[in-house]
Amino acid sequence: QDAEIVRTRDPQRLAGCDVVVDVGGEYDPGRHRYDHHQRSFAESMRSLRPDKPWSTKLSSAGLVYCHFGAQILAGLLGQPEDGPVVTALYDKLYENFVEEIDAMDNGIAPAAGEPRYALSTTLSTRVGHLNPRWNDPDQDTEVG
């Protein structure tokens, strides 16, 4: 609740952070490092949680969800983390929301071959609309 959010790629600043997400080139949940940008990174929900069926390569969002999603849902719902309600919601949220983020962030197409239609309302597209246009005089990306 009182966390300070720092946006940086500076290794010295990252070293002092309690949690690092999507930067830093390191996946180490023991040290709360959740980056997926290493060439050797190939983790999926199934590889980290063998009881889950999804094999899409995880993004940093998926890593955070994998490690903390059930705990957060349990807290919000006042239900046990391993109970049927939290388990069902965790699975549905991953399958119908987070997996798309993982796939889009890792450049995984929704289907093999030529797509039949354009996906123009993905979460990535919506976030992209918050960024300044190339010719905007104010290029501050933090505003959006």
Side-chain angles (χ1 to χ4, degrees):
Q1 168 175 326
D2 298 321
E4 176 188 358
I5 298 173
V6 177
R7 291 178 51 109
T8 185
R9 284 184 164 69
D10 179 350
Q12 290 180 341
R13 289 203 63 201
L14 293 176
C17 294
D18 296 324
V19 179
V20 178
V21 177
D22 207 36
V23 294
E26 182 180 10
Y27 169 57
D28 181 354
R31 293 182 48 243
H32 292 298
R33 300 307 191 242
Y34 303 99
D35 193 10
H36 69 111
H37 292 104
Q38 309 84 333
R39 287 190 187 274
S40 61
F41 185 87
E43 300 292 356
S44 66
M45 188 65 81
R46 184 186 311 162
S47 71
L48 295 177
R49 295 195 54 184
D51 60 317
K52 303 299 180 192
W54 304 285
S55 59
T56 301
K57 181 180 169 184
L58 295 171
S59 67
S60 294
L63 283 170
V64 170
Y65 187 76
C66 180
H67 288 283
F68 299 103
Q71 178 184 356
I72 292 167
L73 291 170
L76 290 170
L77 298 170
Q79 297 279 323
E81 194 172 324
D82 59 351
V85 172
V86 170
T87 300
L89 187 56
Y90 178 91
D91 289 353
K92 284 294 183 188
L93 275 171
Y94 184 77
E95 185 171 46
N96 294 299
F97 183 68
V98 180
E99 187 176 27
E100 176 186 330
I101 296 168
D102 289 341
M104 296 293 288
D105 196 18
N106 284 301
I108 300 168
E114 192 68 30
R116 291 184 168 171
Y117 56 90
L119 294 173
S120 59
T121 61
T122 65
L123 182 61
S124 297
T125 302
R126 292 174 189 194
V127 170
H129 288 309
L130 297 173
N131 290 326
R133 290 183 298 277
W134 69 273
N135 59 351
D136 280 344
D138 182 5
Q139 290 293 310
D140 184 2
T141 57
E142 298 299 315
V143 173

